């Protein structure tokens, strides 16, 4: 894949400083880009690398361009243009619009135009798959599943029965959607936990992306719902009946319990925990590895935890943590003038 | 699926207030139930919704029924009855008792009566699968595995060799049982970690349920053991040689190291961490996202971590946390009357 | 499998105290070993069990052997010898060097000598697999993937396109390598997150082991790289473009964000969180469930979090935690002699 700078500039309507005939073969970060690669300046802290980068050219905002001797493409939103340019160099294999002969298609399955079904994929009975959608090799699509148009399941995805997937949805390998929610009731007569059948499904709206190994359970008394434009990273867990609002982004390994609601346009960090039966309003940001243990009613940024410390220092401080309630009392007593009593 | 209220009342021997000929088509939560659905009152805080729910009828305890104008089914254990009623509406496809022609069955495999094997499943040599058990599509059952009766592996489950599974066990998609435990010994002569072969297996007792994407490693010097009636949610990790006692319940994304023991009837929250070589006694409850870093010898509820706070407030407090040991000393000095020295 | 003590002693050149004709059939921990099993004394705290163990013989260091009436094999590194001896009893099925007829091999795939390909595995076009490597049943190897020699993918592994795997690499079931990194840019005009194509791959060096369900994303502006001899436990997440240095060991369920760097010979505990765009130097140890939220420039051991406490005590202390900044001010005031003002 080779493109001239001029072709890139024309395609995305970007002002170009420099020779339009320069050829680029790829993109790379500013520290490692080679002579035939295009790079980007996203962060002003990296300006110092403009003089040393080997890159053929740099995408940056007008302000920074004055400090750049290299050929450059001007954009006030270099990260958005990055998305466009990266697509030109994306080598992800395109679906071929065919059903591999080793795939197994159940009774009454309805396939739209140009549906691709990979080797050893299994589509169970009564599933409906929309035009231009793709089922990766080894994936299993359960009975009665509905998948919209232009959606793509990569290899080894599992959808249980009655899951609904919208249009333009991407589901990465190992994701599992529609497994039974974790619902048991302890029967003290029998001394054991009784399973509560999870009779609802999962509804995934359009434009959702679901990461590798992410699990979204089916609901018990309502569908689990993932709103339009939601992006879930790898190894996220979404409990039964939970609802995630449109355009919320959730980083890897976050554990979300069941029967809770997250608003729209939230940013949930990685490895966060969120308990059941609470509500998080719109536009909430949760920093990495925080535990959300009650509802959040006001937008803003929230955290829990302690900072990282060298082990010895940390050990001394957690001794203090275990005496905090006591310490509070002692300070109160000192304030009342009884410190020595 | 349609049932009359009278039929439900008769089936589970529940007192019915109201017209037994009313038909219900499903169950739903009290806020969203439609006119042809049955709902439940589990939590007294939801009593106020009894007057507004559209549900055809409500399952509730006798005390609450006096405040309900709707038809109602009386039960003092509405959550247990929920399990029974939900089963009537459970649309999970039933196994068909057949071996799909695309499945691969190894040498000397022994299949009981009515065993179902899904499309593209692989059963390796010498495995034994009991009557009425089901292997989902794409699942791989390793050599010498033994599975009891009435157990069900959903799609894309992986069992390594020599894993033992009891009766009435449910294993959800993406679960992996019997991968090598994480055992290495650093060889400082060679400057590298040497792998310790994990020569034991995993033993899963009867009535266990294992969530999607959960991993249970095989042992190095003893079997990893999951006791009768244990319920593991999605994306739980169980390290090599660990033993989990009967009827313990573990929520999603909990990470359990190897060579440790958890007692019976414990409730372990989601995203909990548990270190190796410790013991947790029976009837212990661990709240979400706590770290268990030493043995627990007394039953009860345990926690770690800090509460969630708005980011700015949190930043100020973690500054305080890092000075806690120092603060303790300063308060002690103030108490001894030397505050100004 | 039966071996005499004499044969084991000869094979690994270990001094033997006792009858060389004693037969052993396996290995076990010191508390549970049976009469025909060999056990090990790793930890001096277990010396007291030397008199009660049923084991046929014990591997231990010379110092401890004086307190052992049993036959014993002497080694100053009993854990390293354990690795060797365990291998003798390892029943993991050996690859058969054949391509199962149900596997699907794409165009222009190049297979070395003695490559094993399991039932229902899928190898996409242009992949290259080196001599003596093994692809487990149900695994999917993407287009243009390169795998070195003597590497083994267990069942149901997924490699996306253009992933590079070295020699002697072990990848456990459910691992997913090369899924798209989590890269989006918010377009406030359209009010939605725009996907940034992840055009780089993943490079895994020699001697790496990757646990079950672990995910390693492909990079956006550079390859994600896993150094020689790195060991990743189960359910670890490695974000796009991150680099992990040689011989670093990472325990289960650790979440590592993208675009960060971990040094060589680090030990990262289980369920740790590591944020993006930071650097951890060589020889750093992070204890379980800590959050690394800034770069670590000095080797050593680091922690975050609070100790585990009984729930009531913990609740009182987190009240204190939320007042820590305030408490610091109050103590300062007391120290300045204004406690009562």
């Amino acid at each position: 894949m080779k493109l001239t700078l001029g072709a890139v500039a024309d395609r995305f309507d970007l002002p170009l400083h420099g020779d339009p005939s320069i050829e680029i073969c790829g993109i790379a970060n500013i520290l490692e880009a080679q002579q035939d690669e295009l790079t980007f300046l996203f962060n002003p802290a990296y300006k110092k690398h403009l003089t040393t980068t080997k890159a053929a050219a740099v995408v940056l905002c007008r302000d920074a361009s004055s400090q750049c001797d290299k050929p450059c493409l001007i954009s006030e939103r270099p990260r958005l243009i990055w998305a466009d340019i990266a697509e030109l160099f994306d080598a992800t294999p395109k679906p071929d619009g065919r059903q591999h002969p080793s795939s197994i298609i159940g009774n009454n399955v309805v396939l739209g135009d140009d549906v691709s079904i990979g080797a050893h994929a299994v589509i169970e009975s009564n599933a409906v798959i929309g035009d231009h959608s793709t089922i990766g090799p080894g994936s299993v699509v359960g009975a009665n599943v509905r998948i919209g148009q232009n959606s793509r399941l990569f290899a080894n995805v599992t959808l249980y029965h009655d899951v609904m997937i919208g249009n333009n949805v991407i589901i990465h390998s190992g994701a599992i959607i529609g497994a039974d929610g974790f619902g048991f009731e302890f029967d003290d007569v029998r001394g054991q936990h009784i399973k509560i059948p999870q009779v609802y499904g999962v509804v995934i709206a359009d434009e959702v992306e679901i990461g590798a190994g992410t699990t979204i359970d089916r609901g018990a008394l309502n569908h689990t719902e993932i709103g339009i434009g939601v992006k879930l990273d790898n190894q996220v867990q979404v409990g039964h009946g939970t609802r995630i609002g449109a355009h919320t982004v959730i980083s890897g390994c976050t554990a979300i319990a069941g029967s809770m609601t997250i608003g729209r346009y939230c940013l949930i960090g990685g490895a966060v925990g969120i308990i059941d039966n609470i509500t998080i309003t719109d536009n909430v940001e949760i920093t990495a590895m925080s535990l959300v243990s009650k509802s959040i009613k006001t937008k803003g940024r929230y955290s829990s935890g302690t900072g990282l410390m060298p082990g010895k220092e940390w050990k001394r401080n957690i001794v203090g943590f275990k005496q905090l309630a006591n310490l509070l009392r002692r300070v109160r007593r000192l304030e009342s003038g009884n410190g020595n009593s």
Side-chain angles (χ1 to χ4, degrees), chain A:
Chain A
M1 182 74 185
K2 275 188 188 185
L3 286 168
T4 64
L5 273 185
V8 176
D10 286 354
R11 184 157 188 154
F12 302 116
D13 203 19
L14 301 174
L16 165 63
H17 296 182
D19 177 357
S21 71
I22 291 170
E23 281 183 339
I24 56 166
C25 300
I27 59 175
N29 68 60
I30 198 163
L31 294 171
E32 296 172 291
Q34 298 300 305
Q35 289 90 334
D36 55 0
E37 291 177 320
L38 181 65
T39 193
F40 301 83
L41 181 72
F42 299 131
N43 183 338
Y46 281 73
K47 265 189 199 169
K48 59 186 174 197
H49 302 298
L50 284 175
T51 52
T52 52
T53 183
K54 291 190 212 158
V58 186
V59 180
L60 37 51
C61 62
R62 188 166 301 279
D63 251 23
S65 68
S66 62
Q67 293 161 59
C68 184
D69 295 335
K70 295 266 174 187
C72 46
L73 293 160
I74 310 297
S75 164
E76 298 314 306
R77 297 296 309 271
R79 293 183 70 95
L80 273 185
I81 286 294
W82 174 25
D84 289 328
I85 295 175
E87 203 171 355
L88 303 176
F89 295 101
D90 186 3
T92 306
K94 298 278 176 292
D96 62 6
R98 290 188 292 183
Q99 288 110 56
H100 194 280
S102 66
S103 64
I104 306 286
I105 316 278
N107 296 326
N108 302 315
V109 166
V110 179
L111 301 181
D113 293 339
D114 250 346
V115 166
S116 304
I117 299 185
H120 295 315
V122 177
I123 316 294
E124 304 213 10
S125 55
N126 304 307
V128 178
I129 301 178
D131 300 345
H132 313 293
S133 282
T134 299
I135 309 301
S139 287
V140 175
V141 173
N144 311 311
V145 165
R146 285 170 174 268
I147 298 175
Q149 298 183 355
N150 288 308
S151 287
R152 182 167 193 172
L153 280 60
F154 283 89
N156 285 331
V157 167
T158 307
L159 307 184
Y160 280 59
H161 63 282
D162 292 304
V163 163
M164 315 271 283
I165 308 282
N167 303 312
N168 305 312
V169 170
I170 296 171
I171 305 181
H172 283 285
S173 295
I176 296 154
I177 303 183
D180 286 346
F182 197 59
F184 300 90
E185 176 66 9
F186 189 68
D187 180 346
D188 38 21
V189 175
R190 285 183 278 176
Q192 62 187 66
H193 301 279
I194 306 302
K195 179 177 178 67
I196 295 168
Q198 307 287 305
V199 303
Y200 280 82
V202 178
V203 180
I204 311 277
D206 299 346
E207 323 285 347
V208 169
E209 182 158 345
I210 294 172
T214 282
T215 53
I216 304 174
D217 277 351
R218 64 191 317 110
L221 289 171
N222 58 267
H223 291 312
T224 307
E225 293 173 16
I226 310 296
I228 187 169
V230 166
K231 312 297 180 188
L232 304 180
D233 197 356
N234 295 351
Q235 298 194 47
V236 170
Q237 149 71 358
V238 181
H240 55 170
T242 282
R243 287 157 165 150
I244 301 179
H247 306 297
T248 280
V249 172
I250 300 182
S251 293
C253 303
T254 282
I256 304 171
S259 305
M260 64 80 52
T261 302
I262 299 178
R264 294 155 48 96
Y265 294 109
C266 292
L267 294 175
I268 312 287
V272 163
I274 303 179
I275 73 158
D276 58 311
N277 286 295
I278 63 172
T279 298
I280 297 176
T281 192
D282 296 346
N283 295 298
V284 165
E285 186 177 350
I286 308 289
T287 61
M289 226 165 150
S290 297
L291 173 65
V292 185
S293 52
K294 56 183 182 185
S295 290
I296 298 179
K297 292 171 184 166
T298 309
K299 72 175 184 182
R301 183 182 171 104
Y302 295 82
S303 300
S304 75
T306 72
L308 192 78
M309 279 163 277
K312 280 182 189 172
E313 194 184 322
W314 174 78
K315 275 188 183 166
R316 285 195 297 264
N317 288 317
I318 60 165
V319 169
F321 182 82
K322 292 191 179 184
Q323 302 179 27
L324 257 175
N326 173 274
L327 193 65
L328 270 178
R329 274 194 302 276
R330 287 158 64 188
V331 169
R332 225 173 282 132
R333 207 190 302 146
L334 283 164
E335 288 170 335
S336 70
N338 296 317
N340 304 314
S341 67

